[in-house]
mmCIF file of all heavy atoms in Angstrom:
data_model
loop_
_atom_site.group_PDB
_atom_site.id
_atom_site.type_symbol
_atom_site.label_atom_id
_atom_site.label_comp_id
_atom_site.label_asym_id
_atom_site.label_seq_id
_atom_site.Cartn_x
_atom_site.Cartn_y
_atom_site.Cartn_z
ATOM 1 N N ALA A 594 206.030 146.567 69.752
ATOM 2 C CA ALA A 594 205.128 145.670 69.085
ATOM 3 C C ALA A 594 204.480 146.276 67.829
ATOM 4 O O ALA A 594 204.280 145.592 66.837
ATOM 5 C CB ALA A 594 203.965 145.254 70.055
ATOM 6 N N THR A 595 204.246 147.578 67.866
ATOM 7 C CA THR A 595 203.684 148.255 66.713
ATOM 8 C C THR A 595 204.625 148.208 65.510
ATOM 9 O O THR A 595 204.255 147.973 64.341
ATOM 10 C CB THR A 595 203.340 149.719 66.996
ATOM 11 O OG1 THR A 595 202.372 149.755 68.022
ATOM 12 C CG2 THR A 595 202.857 150.466 65.774
ATOM 13 N N VAL A 596 205.960 148.404 65.748
ATOM 14 C CA VAL A 596 206.936 148.283 64.687
ATOM 15 C C VAL A 596 206.947 146.885 64.045
ATOM 16 O O VAL A 596 206.947 146.771 62.858
ATOM 17 C CB VAL A 596 208.355 148.644 65.251
ATOM 18 C CG1 VAL A 596 209.466 148.280 64.229
ATOM 19 C CG2 VAL A 596 208.441 150.100 65.610
ATOM 20 N N LEU A 597 206.942 145.911 64.925
ATOM 21 C CA LEU A 597 206.916 144.527 64.360
ATOM 22 C C LEU A 597 205.591 144.183 63.573
ATOM 23 O O LEU A 597 205.552 143.593 62.554
ATOM 24 C CB LEU A 597 207.097 143.476 65.468
ATOM 25 C CG LEU A 597 208.471 143.528 66.120
ATOM 26 C CD1 LEU A 597 208.515 142.593 67.302
ATOM 27 C CD2 LEU A 597 209.567 143.199 65.118
ATOM 28 N N ARG A 598 204.527 144.667 64.148
ATOM 29 C CA ARG A 598 203.208 144.410 63.517
ATOM 30 C C ARG A 598 203.092 145.167 62.194
ATOM 31 O O ARG A 598 202.450 144.693 61.241
ATOM 32 C CB ARG A 598 202.060 144.915 64.473
ATOM 33 C CG ARG A 598 200.662 144.545 63.886
ATOM 34 C CD ARG A 598 199.579 144.893 64.869
ATOM 35 N NE ARG A 598 199.494 146.300 65.169
ATOM 36 C CZ ARG A 598 199.861 146.897 66.288
ATOM 37 N NH1 ARG A 598 200.251 146.067 67.306
ATOM 38 N NH2 ARG A 598 199.792 148.193 66.487
ATOM 39 N N GLN A 599 203.750 146.323 62.013
ATOM 40 C CA GLN A 599 203.631 147.071 60.794
ATOM 41 C C GLN A 599 204.701 146.619 59.729
ATOM 42 O O GLN A 599 204.900 147.334 58.778
ATOM 43 C CB GLN A 599 203.797 148.537 61.078
ATOM 44 C CG GLN A 599 202.610 149.080 61.845
ATOM 45 C CD GLN A 599 202.753 150.585 62.202
ATOM 46 O OE1 GLN A 599 203.847 151.109 62.107
ATOM 47 N NE2 GLN A 599 201.624 151.203 62.642
ATOM 48 N N GLY A 600 205.323 145.513 59.985
ATOM 49 C CA GLY A 600 206.262 144.975 58.977
ATOM 50 C C GLY A 600 207.686 144.827 59.377
ATOM 51 O O GLY A 600 208.533 144.389 58.623
ATOM 52 N N GLY A 601 207.975 145.149 60.618
ATOM 53 C CA GLY A 601 209.311 144.938 61.182
ATOM 54 C C GLY A 601 209.615 143.421 61.238
ATOM 55 O O GLY A 601 208.699 142.612 61.428
ATOM 56 N N SER A 602 210.826 143.076 61.171
ATOM 57 C CA SER A 602 211.238 141.693 61.137
ATOM 58 C C SER A 602 212.203 141.398 62.336
ATOM 59 O O SER A 602 212.945 142.198 62.735
ATOM 60 C CB SER A 602 211.926 141.341 59.842
ATOM 61 O OG SER A 602 212.414 140.042 59.881
ATOM 62 N N LEU A 603 212.087 140.161 62.797
ATOM 63 C CA LEU A 603 213.079 139.707 63.802
ATOM 64 C C LEU A 603 214.284 139.057 63.174
ATOM 65 O O LEU A 603 215.205 138.713 63.870
ATOM 66 C CB LEU A 603 212.363 138.654 64.746
ATOM 67 C CG LEU A 603 211.295 139.202 65.610
ATOM 68 C CD1 LEU A 603 210.738 138.103 66.514
ATOM 69 C CD2 LEU A 603 211.708 140.392 66.490
ATOM 70 N N SER A 604 214.239 138.938 61.832
ATOM 71 C CA SER A 604 215.422 138.330 61.138
ATOM 72 C C SER A 604 216.372 139.434 60.775
ATOM 73 O O SER A 604 215.988 140.520 60.368
ATOM 74 C CB SER A 604 214.893 137.619 59.880
ATOM 75 O OG SER A 604 213.985 136.621 60.196
ATOM 76 N N PRO A 605 217.704 139.110 60.844
ATOM 77 C CA PRO A 605 218.715 140.103 60.446
ATOM 78 C C PRO A 605 218.698 140.351 58.962
ATOM 79 O O PRO A 605 219.028 139.410 58.227
ATOM 80 C CB PRO A 605 220.010 139.512 60.965
ATOM 81 C CG PRO A 605 219.769 138.075 61.064
ATOM 82 C CD PRO A 605 218.316 137.889 61.413
ATOM 83 N N PRO A 606 218.267 141.494 58.491
ATOM 84 C CA PRO A 606 218.252 141.755 57.076
ATOM 85 C C PRO A 606 219.689 142.002 56.489
ATOM 86 O O PRO A 606 220.567 142.385 57.263
ATOM 87 C CB PRO A 606 217.372 143.012 56.898
ATOM 88 C CG PRO A 606 217.571 143.725 58.173
ATOM 89 C CD PRO A 606 217.784 142.641 59.248
ATOM 90 N N PRO A 607 219.807 141.813 55.191
ATOM 91 C CA PRO A 607 221.161 141.933 54.647
ATOM 92 C C PRO A 607 221.570 143.359 54.298
ATOM 93 O O PRO A 607 222.654 143.586 53.972
ATOM 94 C CB PRO A 607 221.024 141.124 53.334
ATOM 95 C CG PRO A 607 219.551 141.294 52.968
ATOM 96 C CD PRO A 607 218.798 141.290 54.234
ATOM 97 N N SER A 608 220.615 144.324 54.466
ATOM 98 C CA SER A 608 220.968 145.706 54.007
ATOM 99 C C SER A 608 220.396 146.663 55.024
ATOM 100 O O SER A 608 219.523 146.337 55.846
ATOM 101 C CB SER A 608 220.464 145.989 52.606
ATOM 102 O OG SER A 608 219.087 145.787 52.572
ATOM 103 N N THR A 609 220.819 147.893 54.894
ATOM 104 C CA THR A 609 220.316 148.939 55.770
ATOM 105 C C THR A 609 218.983 149.439 55.326
ATOM 106 O O THR A 609 218.756 149.605 54.113
ATOM 107 C CB THR A 609 221.344 150.126 55.789
ATOM 108 O OG1 THR A 609 222.561 149.634 56.334
ATOM 109 C CG2 THR A 609 220.792 151.269 56.657
#
Side-chain angles (χ1 to χ4, degrees):
T595 298
V596 168
L597 292 176
R598 186 175 61 249
Q599 292 178 345
S602 173
L603 295 182
S604 301
S608 61
T609 298

